[in-house]
Amino acid sequence: MSSHLRVTVPLAGRSYDVLVGNGVVRELAGVLPAGVRRVVIVTQAGNPMTPLADPGVPFEVLEIPDGEQTKSLSTVEDLCRSFVRFGMTRSDCVIGVGGGLVTDVAGFAASVFHRGIAVVHVATSLLAMVDAAIGGKTGVNLPEGKNLVGAFWQPSAVLCDLDALTTLPPRETRCGMGEMAKYHFLTGDDLLGLPLAERIARCAAIKAEVVGADERESGRRAILNYGHTLAHALETATAHQLAHGEAVAIGLAYAARVAHELGRIDSDRVREHDRVIVDAYGLDNALPAGLDHDELVDLMGRDKKVVNGLTFVLDGANGVETVAEVPADAVRRALTRMPVADGRARISP
Ligand code: GLY
């Protein structure tokens, strides 16, 4: 048995473990729910973990293409039709082997096939390990915006095999760092001071605690969207030229400026955001040049967590929390306070 760290996502009757370590993909057969007789592995071409994923029962591998356009209802339909052809029943299991795109799509397909069958995730990107594969948010995009169709569908287990990270492209690593910087602001934890396995397990534990307290985001879970209001708008406005974690890093810097405009934090705390994002996590905090602020404000108004006017997750005296009815002029002013990309990441004056 490989040595690994274990984090439990505590959900009454549906608790599950996240295993973190080198070689944990070998635990796959042992984490499948009892009674599974067939498995479909959903993955992408060339994922080095896929040949190592042995569920111990007959299985078929389905590859989905790369790129945000793959996160669509038509991909889910294709997958479900393949599940039927392979004879998958209600007691069988989908395994998502990949990054956030795969775990979102595979999880959603599992959630609707036969009105819901089991899913296990083998997270192979840093972003999936610290965020996307944990917590049961699954879904696909519509042309009108990201993740607008989906379901809460918890996996039966999540395996985070650190061996997958040795071949991860630098951009993918940056994306994971964007979500990790988010956890830094939620907790103040010095995550970068921890060895890699413990760092990933700590992020998983932060997320597990929040999800355990508010699985369906009726309140506290929204803090996991820190930095995401602008991030989702940027992904749409740039036609996904900015990847999710890159956009989250910029969104964190922006959320600090919105909080400052509302008098919730002082300028030192804004600078602290920039320092953590740029210096500690090596990410860019600048808006891409040439974006139309009206379009960004409009896109932010369509965010899923909008309950009342423009809604943001913002830092403040009580920590990070959801703030509704943020005045549009503060939202616009904060955009003008953002550094604009000129090839160099910038610290606020
Ligand atoms: N990625 C935010 C959440 O899972 O709630």
Side-chain angles (χ1 to χ4, degrees):
M1 195 197 226
S2 56
S3 88
H4 53 248
L5 301 171
R6 180 185 301 265
V7 171
T8 302
V9 182
L11 293 163
R14 289 171 299 121
S15 296
Y16 58 93
D17 287 339
V18 180
L19 305 185
V20 182
N22 292 96
V24 291
V25 71
R26 290 194 293 272
E27 308 297 323
L28 189 55
V31 300
L32 290 192
V36 170
R37 291 167 52 179
R38 272 165 199 266
V39 155
V40 167
I41 294 177
V42 179
T43 188
Q44 291 184 303
N47 188 312
M49 276 294 132
T50 308
L52 305 176
D54 179 2
V57 292
F59 66 99
E60 179 147 300
V61 176
L62 299 177
E63 291 180 350
I64 59 174
D66 207 2
E68 203 57 33
Q69 68 284 355
T70 297
K71 276 188 75 171
S72 68
L73 284 166
S74 72
T75 303
V76 173
E77 180 179 356
D78 290 347
L79 287 175
C80 289
R81 292 181 69 183
S82 300
F83 297 168
V84 176
R85 284 196 291 273
F86 190 52
M88 295 275 280
T89 69
R90 245 187 204 159
S91 50
D92 292 328
C93 182
V94 173
I95 299 177
V97 179
L101 184 149
V102 167
T103 60
D104 277 11
V105 173
F108 185 46
S111 81
V112 290
F113 185 68
H114 286 325
R115 300 198 177 86
I117 67 170
V119 63
V120 167
H121 295 310
V122 179
T124 65
S125 73
L126 186 59
L127 189 142
M129 291 182 191
V130 300
D131 185 39
I134 304 166
K137 276 193 183 174
T138 70
V140 296
N141 304 333
L142 294 177
E144 288 76 10
K146 263 186 73 88
N147 298 334
L148 289 179
V149 179
F152 287 100
W153 194 247
Q154 299 293 343
S156 303
V158 180
L159 304 180
C160 302
D161 193 324
L162 302 183
D163 291 345
L165 300 180
T166 55
T167 53
L168 204 63
R171 190 167 191 201
E172 292 271 344
T173 304
R174 270 206 307 279
C175 282
M177 294 293 263
E179 291 290 353
M180 224 182 253
K182 173 188 83 179
Y183 292 121
H184 170 101
F185 294 115
L186 297 188
T187 60
D189 282 9
D190 174 18
L191 297 164
L192 296 177
L194 297 172
L196 182 63
E198 286 172 35
R199 192 187 307 165
I200 291 170
R202 177 68 193 131
C203 291
I206 296 167
K207 180 150 188 183
E209 185 272 313
V210 174
V211 169
D214 177 24
E215 181 186 3
R216 291 187 167 243
E217 201 170 303
S218 41
R220 186 165 138 70
R221 182 168 178 163
I223 65 171
L224 296 174
N225 296 326
Y226 191 40
H228 284 54
T229 309
L230 180 65
H232 287 156
L234 287 175
E235 287 173 80
T236 303
T238 64
H240 301 286
Q241 283 174 40
L242 272 179
H244 180 65
E246 294 171 327
V248 167
I250 300 167
L252 292 169
Y254 174 68
R257 284 160 175 81
V258 176
H260 186 245
E261 286 299 322
L262 299 183
R264 295 175 56 87
I265 60 173
D266 61 19
S267 51
D268 281 351
R269 182 68 176 155
V270 179
R271 272 193 290 276
E272 173 67 2
H273 274 72
D274 289 340
R275 190 196 63 72
V276 169
I277 295 162
V278 177
D279 293 348
Y281 283 79
L283 299 164
D284 201 341
N285 64 347
L287 274 183
L291 291 178
D292 177 352
H293 288 193
D294 287 336
E295 185 192 359
L296 291 178
V297 174
D298 184 44
L299 287 168
M300 287 192 277
R302 284 193 226 155
D303 194 83
K304 285 191 299 308
K305 66 185 165 304
V306 168
V307 280
N308 215 349
L310 279 156
T311 301
F312 283 85
V313 179
L314 296 176
D315 199 7
N318 303 322
V320 171
E321 61 190 354
T322 303
V323 180
E325 295 189 78
V326 176
D329 59 337
V331 172
R332 282 173 199 284
R333 266 199 316 277
L335 281 172
T336 67
R337 306 268 191 263
M338 286 291 284
V340 178
D342 57 4
R344 286 175 297 128
R346 289 206 246 150
I347 302 289
S348 55

